Coordinates of all heavy atoms in Angstrom, one line a residue:
I522 N -4.0 27.1 -31.1 CA -3.9 26.7 -29.7 C -3.9 25.2 -29.6 O -4.9 24.6 -30.0 CB -5.0 27.3 -28.8 CG1 -5.0 28.9 -29.0 CG2 -4.8 27.0 -27.3 CD1 -3.7 29.6 -28.6
F523 N -2.9 24.6 -29.1 CA -2.8 23.1 -29.0 C -3.7 22.7 -27.8 O -4.0 23.5 -26.9 CB -1.4 22.7 -28.8 CG -0.5 22.7 -30.0 CD1 -0.1 24.0 -30.6 CD2 -0.1 21.6 -30.6 CE1 0.6 24.0 -31.7 CE2 0.7 21.6 -31.8 CZ 1.1 22.9 -32.3
K524 N -4.0 21.4 -27.7 CA -4.9 20.9 -26.7 C -4.4 21.0 -25.3 O -5.1 20.9 -24.3 CB -5.3 19.4 -27.0 CG -6.3 19.3 -28.2 CD -6.7 17.8 -28.4 CE -7.7 17.6 -29.5 NZ -8.1 16.2 -29.7
N525 N -3.1 21.1 -25.2 CA -2.5 21.3 -23.9 C -2.4 22.8 -23.5 O -1.7 23.1 -22.5 CB -1.1 20.6 -23.8 CG -0.1 21.2 -24.8 OD1 -0.5 22.1 -25.6 ND2 1.1 20.8 -24.8
G526 N -3.0 23.7 -24.3 CA -3.0 25.1 -24.0 C -1.8 25.9 -24.6 O -1.7 27.1 -24.4
K527 N -0.8 25.2 -25.2 CA 0.3 25.9 -25.8 C -0.1 26.6 -27.0 O -0.9 26.2 -27.8 CB 1.4 24.8 -26.1 CG 2.0 24.1 -24.9 CD 3.0 24.9 -24.2 CE 3.7 24.0 -23.2 NZ 4.8 24.8 -22.5
T528 N 0.6 27.8 -27.2 CA 0.4 28.6 -28.4 C 1.4 28.2 -29.5 O 2.5 27.9 -29.3 CB 0.7 30.1 -28.1 OG1 -0.2 30.5 -27.1 CG2 0.4 31.0 -29.3
G529 N 0.8 28.1 -30.7 CA 1.7 27.6 -31.9 C 2.6 28.7 -32.4 O 2.5 29.9 -32.0
Y530 N 3.5 28.3 -33.2 CA 4.4 29.3 -33.9 C 4.8 28.6 -35.2 O 4.7 27.4 -35.4 CB 5.6 29.6 -33.1 CG 6.5 28.5 -32.7 CD1 7.5 28.0 -33.6 CD2 6.4 27.9 -31.5 CE1 8.3 27.0 -33.2 CE2 7.3 26.8 -31.1 CZ 8.2 26.4 -32.0 OH 9.0 25.3 -31.7
L531 N 5.4 29.5 -36.2 CA 5.9 29.0 -37.4 C 7.3 28.5 -37.2 O 8.1 29.2 -36.7 CB 5.9 30.1 -38.5 CG 6.3 29.6 -39.9 CD1 5.4 28.6 -40.5 CD2 6.4 30.9 -40.8
P532 N 7.6 27.2 -37.4 CA 8.9 26.6 -37.0 C 10.1 27.3 -37.8 O 9.9 27.8 -38.9 CB 8.8 25.2 -37.4 CG 7.8 25.1 -38.5 CD 6.8 26.2 -38.1
A533 N 11.2 27.4 -37.1 CA 12.5 27.8 -37.7 C 13.0 26.7 -38.6 O 12.6 25.5 -38.6 CB 13.5 28.2 -36.7
L534 N 13.9 27.1 -39.5 CA 14.4 26.1 -40.5 C 15.1 24.9 -39.8 O 15.0 23.8 -40.2 CB 15.4 26.8 -41.4 CG 15.9 25.9 -42.6 CD1 14.7 25.5 -43.5 CD2 17.0 26.6 -43.4
G535 N 15.8 25.1 -38.7 CA 16.5 24.1 -38.0 C 15.5 23.0 -37.4 O 15.7 21.8 -37.5
E536 N 14.3 23.5 -37.0 CA 13.3 22.6 -36.5 C 12.7 21.8 -37.6 O 12.5 20.6 -37.4 CB 12.2 23.4 -35.8 CG 12.7 24.1 -34.5 CD 11.8 25.1 -33.9 OE1 11.3 26.0 -34.7 OE2 11.4 25.0 -32.7
L537 N 12.5 22.4 -38.8 CA 12.0 21.7 -39.9 C 13.0 20.6 -40.3 O 12.7 19.5 -40.7 CB 11.7 22.6 -41.1 CG 10.3 23.3 -41.0 CD1 10.2 24.2 -42.2 CD2 9.2 22.3 -41.0
Y538 N 14.3 21.0 -40.3 CA 15.4 20.1 -40.7 C 15.4 18.9 -39.8 O 15.6 17.7 -40.3 CB 16.7 20.9 -40.6 CG 17.8 20.2 -41.4 CD1 17.8 20.3 -42.8 CD2 18.8 19.5 -40.8 CE1 18.9 19.7 -43.5 CE2 19.8 18.9 -41.5 CZ 19.9 19.0 -42.9 OH 20.9 18.4 -43.6
V539 N 15.3 19.1 -38.5 CA 15.2 17.9 -37.5 C 14.0 17.1 -37.8 O 14.1 15.8 -37.8 CB 15.2 18.4 -36.1 CG1 15.0 17.3 -35.1 CG2 16.6 19.0 -35.7
C540 N 12.9 17.7 -38.0 CA 11.6 17.0 -38.3 C 11.8 16.1 -39.5 O 11.4 14.9 -39.5 CB 10.5 17.9 -38.5 SG 9.0 17.2 -39.1
W541 N 12.5 16.6 -40.6 CA 12.6 15.8 -41.8 C 13.5 14.6 -41.6 O 13.4 13.6 -42.3 CB 13.2 16.7 -42.9 CG 12.2 16.8 -44.1 CD1 12.3 16.3 -45.3 CD2 11.0 17.6 -44.1 NE1 11.2 16.6 -46.1 CE2 10.4 17.4 -45.3 CE3 10.3 18.3 -43.1 CZ2 9.2 18.0 -45.7 CZ3 9.1 18.9 -43.5 CH2 8.6 18.8 -44.7
G542 N 14.4 14.7 -40.6 CA 15.3 13.5 -40.3 C 14.5 12.4 -39.7 O 14.9 11.2 -39.8

Side-chain angles (χ1 to χ4, degrees):
I522 305 300
F523 288 69
K524 286 184 180 180
N525 60 355
K527 296 279 189 178
T528 301
Y530 62 82
L531 183 64
L534 187 63
E536 292 168 308
L537 279 177
Y538 198 77
V539 170
C540 172
W541 244 253

